[in-house]
Structure formats: C-alpha cells, structure tokens
Amino acid sequence: MEKPAIEGGTPVRESKIFYGHQYIDEADIQAVVDVMRSEALTCGPKIGELERKLCELTGAKYAVACSNGTAALHIACLAAGIGGEDEVITTPITFAASANCALYCGARPVFADIDPETYNIDPACVEACVTSKSRAVVAVDFTGQSVEFDPLLKLCREKNLVLIEDGAHVIGTKYQGRANGSIADMTTFSFHPVKTVTGGEGGAVLTNSEEYYQKLLLYRTHGITREESLLEHPADGAWYYEQIALGYNYRITDMQAALIISQLDKLEKFSKRRKEIVARYDEAFSRLPELFVQKEIPESDTTRHLYILRIKPEKLNIDRKRFFEAMGAENVCCNVHYIPTYYFPYYEKLGYQRGICPNAEKLYEEMLTLPLYYGMTDEDVESVIKAVEKIVRYYAVR
C-alpha cells in the first residue's frame, strides 16, 4: 500500500486523478450511433468528410486518414521514398513510433539531441547529424509546442531532405499564425484517447504535395487502386482494380471518423481550456526555484497535449522516482514522457548506446508528466498544484 508523501500527512485529494483522459459528450456518441445505423461502417463517406475537415482546419491541400498515428508515420516514410541504406533523423524524447517508422522501411534512425529548455529537437543538432545517407527528418512537436520550422525547413531544403512533422501532440497549435499541418512536407496526426482530439484510435497524414498524396492513398489501402489513370492493364469491367504497390491495411472506420469530426467541432474550446490549465501551472511552478518550467518559443501558439514538470535535483532531497511516487501518494497519478528511444533493449541490440544525446538523457532523469486534459475542474488543477508544492516544501534543500 502506498504511504503518504509526508509522514503523518493526508493526501491533498481523496480520489485519484490521472495524467490524461478523453472527453466524450452526447454529440460524439450520437455521431457514432448515426454511422452504426447507416449503410457504411468503413470505406464510407465519413472518411472523405474527415479529410476535408482536416484540410479546412490546417490549410493543407490534402489529408489521408488512417488507422493510427504510427500507421501515418509509416506511410509518410514510404511516400518519401525512405528505404535501403537511408538515415532518418529524429528525437529520442518521443514515443518509439517516431523512430520505428524508419526501421519499418529498412532505414536507420539517427537521434539528434533536444533543446534543454523547450525539449524539442534542436535544429543545430539535426544539422550535425546530416550525412550523405540522410533522407528525412522526423521532427516531433513535443508536448504540443511547435518545432522551430524556420531553421529546420532551411536545412532540409539545403540538404534535400524530406521534413516529416510528427504532429501527434500538436493539433490546435499554430506556428507564426499558420496551423501546424500545412507547413512541413508531410504532417502526421494521432487521435489516441489522451490526445486533444480523439477517435479512440486513428491517424492522418497531411500534405500540400499531390505526388505524396497519391502515394499515401496507395500505401494506406494495400497498394490497390481503381483510378483509371493509374491502371497498367485494360479494365475487365466496373469491378476492376489493380495492386500497383505493396501497401497495407491502414484504413480507418467511418465510426472513428465520425467521432473525430465531432471532436474537431470542439477543438477551439478544448484548446482554450488546456491553455488555461497550462497558464495556471506555469504561474504556480515558476514561483518555485526547485522546479523548471518548459520554455515556449514565441513563434508557437501552443495547444499543449502534455504538461512536463521538471525538478532540479540539486535543490531537492528527492529524485524523480521518489517525487513520482510521492505524487501518487497524494492521489495525483503522473506519467513520464518519454524514456529515450535508444534506451530500449531492441535499440541496444541494434548498436545504439547511451550518451549520444546528453540533454535528452538529463531531461529524462528529471521530468514527470502532470495531469492535463479538458475535463479537469479548477479544483482538480489546484489539487495538483498543492501536491507539487507540498512535496517541494518538504524536500527542499535548506
């Protein structure tokens, strides 16, 4: 059984609160029910409707909805022509899919270090990783804050690299007034339940390139097409189709698409509430010298998916592990995002070693993820703050 963080103390909350939670209302439920009562559960009209809505939201010319964010990354890499001896540069502070997508294509992930204050991939470190084998950069908008597009785009254009934005965290964010999703060569979204907008699962790839768009459509659906201009043999009849590439079954259902469409209708209020919670957290934690608050670049109007609390170990008589456990004892259940990807045994067996990204590794030792989601009440937010303040006061170096 967990013991209170403070000897003899009472937890700041009676009930547990978790780091993320979906918000589903009656409109969402009705949207799914309507599809279930319709003729098409998959490959139906809601797919195109979702894709059009994503284009309207972001300003991208094309969108391809798919089964999840990992599938989106995979087909983006395939559309970019990644394979063989290619190298793909990405960050280690991300979910494993950001690097795995290169491995799926037979390429090698190369890890560039992060900016120690924003936690996003450092463009200077990306440049230092470029070799003659580099083919693409998978830049992750960590926590929902936009990556620094100006230097990354400049570098990618100079080095003839494809810029794939892993935007799993970023829906609702704008960079210099432009919605993320219309800036990189391709942008991938995820609609996992803890994301700002959810479909249960689901993903999408957005692009302004018709060439990439046509390839994404093929790779999403087995490499099969009915498009007359793409057929290599005369059609046998109206039923005729051809497989012209090796694709995958990465389709999304109309039920998921309907849920995502309904959720996107609430994106503005989702974003507003998340910004309110982040502002309150920042205000409270900026007053504590034992903590470091993530820096925001002025170019990013951020809809935050995750809130990262970073401790300063030299100012506390407690490490991250014990801080994490102490928060749990206060009934505030945190998480950690992320373990550096190359720490995993699979990557170790591929020859990756610790020490290659010192900023990322230091961040991992000092961070934990606090609750952040639309349905949090002001009372919930204040209880999280009280738990942090209570632990910091008790363990502060004096």
Side-chain angles (χ1 to χ4, degrees):
M1 176 179 275
E2 289 180 316
K3 296 181 180 179
I6 312 305
E7 191 66 32
T10 301
V12 299
R13 296 177 55 90
E14 292 184 1
S15 61
K16 291 185 181 294
I17 185 172
F18 297 88
Y19 89 93
H21 196 274
Q22 71 273 11
Y23 175 84
I24 302 293
D25 64 13
E26 289 302 316
D28 297 328
I29 294 168
Q30 189 61 51
V32 175
V33 170
D34 288 346
V35 170
M36 295 179 71
R37 288 176 172 153
S38 74
E39 294 297 320
L41 299 186
T42 191
C43 300
K46 286 296 177 182
I47 312 305
E49 184 180 341
L50 170 58
E51 291 169 343
R52 289 189 295 273
K53 195 171 187 72
L54 289 170
C55 289
E56 291 168 6
L57 174 72
T58 63
K61 291 183 179 179
Y62 307 102
V64 176
C66 58
S67 53
N68 53 60
T70 300
L73 283 167
H74 186 191
I75 62 175
C77 287
L78 290 169
I82 293 167
E85 298 299 315
D86 293 337
E87 294 179 347
V88 176
I89 302 168
T90 192
T91 170
I93 297 296
T94 184
F95 187 62
S98 306
N100 288 349
C101 60
L103 294 174
Y104 297 156
C105 298
R108 178 178 178 270
V110 175
F111 295 100
D113 211 350
I114 61 167
D115 182 299
E117 295 186 326
T118 68
Y119 313 152
N120 265 333
I121 196 167
D122 186 336
C125 294
V126 173
E127 185 170 11
C129 290
V130 175
T131 71
S132 61
K133 295 182 178 181
S134 300
R135 183 64 175 268
V137 176
V138 175
V140 179
D141 306 292
F142 180 57
T143 73
Q145 179 177 193
S146 179
V147 294
E148 296 179 69
F149 273 115
D150 287 351
L152 285 172
L153 282 168
K154 182 175 182 291
L155 174 65
C156 288
R157 299 300 174 256
E158 290 174 352
K159 302 295 184 180
N160 196 29
L161 305 176
V162 179
L163 180 57
I164 299 171
E165 177 188 13
D166 181 345
H169 298 182
V170 83
I171 195 162
T173 293
K174 295 180 179 178
Y175 180 84
Q176 295 182 340
R178 292 179 63 187
N180 288 59
S182 63
I183 305 171
D185 295 313
M186 286 178 275
T187 297
T188 65
F189 285 157
S190 168
F191 303 112
H192 183 274
V194 296
K195 302 300 195 300
T196 302
V197 167
T198 186
E201 282 284 2
V205 188
L206 283 71
T207 184
N208 293 323
S209 165
E210 184 177 2
E211 179 184 355
Y212 287 147
Y213 173 62
Q214 294 297 339
K215 290 179 179 178
L216 292 165
L217 289 174
L218 279 174
Y219 290 127
R220 175 184 66 181
T221 314
H222 302 282
I224 287 174
T225 185
R226 296 178 184 270
E227 181 66 39
E228 187 176 353
S229 63
L230 298 178
L231 299 180
E232 297 185 15
H233 302 297
D236 295 335
W239 66 86
Y240 188 76
Y241 59 86
E242 290 180 351
Q243 181 183 341
I244 61 173
L246 181 60
Y248 300 83
N249 184 359
Y250 284 162
R251 294 177 303 214
I252 189 172
T253 68
D254 281 61
M255 292 171 287
Q256 292 169 297
L259 176 54
I260 297 165
I261 292 166
S262 180
Q263 290 262 299
L264 287 171
D265 288 337
K266 294 180 276 287
L267 179 58
E268 186 175 345
K269 73 176 186 178
F270 286 170
S271 178
K272 181 176 181 290
R273 180 55 179 160
R274 284 174 177 265
K275 288 179 179 180
E276 290 171 351
I277 297 170
V278 168
R280 179 67 187 106
Y281 279 166
D282 283 352
E283 177 189 30
F285 302 143
S286 294
R287 297 197 300 262
L288 300 175
E290 296 84 4
L291 305 176
F292 179 85
V293 173
Q294 182 182 2
K295 179 183 175 181
E296 289 276 342
I297 61 172
E299 295 89 348
S300 182
D301 178 6
T302 303
T303 295
R304 195 81 73 85
H305 159 53
L306 299 173
Y307 191 91
I308 302 298
L309 183 70
R310 186 172 187 176
I311 67 172
K312 298 179 181 179
E314 71 276 9
K315 294 183 179 292
L316 289 166
N317 293 309
I318 188 173
D319 60 15
R320 190 273 308 277
K321 181 175 184 292
R322 291 171 62 208
F323 202 114
F324 181 96
E325 293 168 347
M327 289 291 287
E330 298 296 337
N331 285 325
V332 178
C333 301
C334 301
N335 207 329
V336 173
H337 296 88
Y338 292 92
I339 303 168
T341 305
Y342 56 79
Y343 277 20
F344 297 136
Y346 184 83
Y347 278 83
E348 289 178 328
K349 291 169 185 173
L350 293 176
Y352 294 87
Q353 297 180 350
R354 300 188 182 202
I356 58 178
C357 294
N359 291 337
E361 294 178 21
K362 190 173 191 299
L363 173 64
Y364 170 62
E365 297 297 329
E366 299 173 357
M367 69 172 173
L368 64 159
T369 306
L370 297 185
L372 174 62
Y373 52 91
Y374 173 77
M376 289 182 71
T377 65
D378 289 346
E379 184 180 1
D380 290 333
V381 174
E382 294 306 315
S383 69
V384 173
I385 292 170
K386 287 177 183 177
V388 172
E389 291 175 337
K390 179 179 177 181
I391 295 165
V392 168
R393 282 197 303 269
Y394 188 79
Y395 288 105
V397 173
R398 294 176 178 83

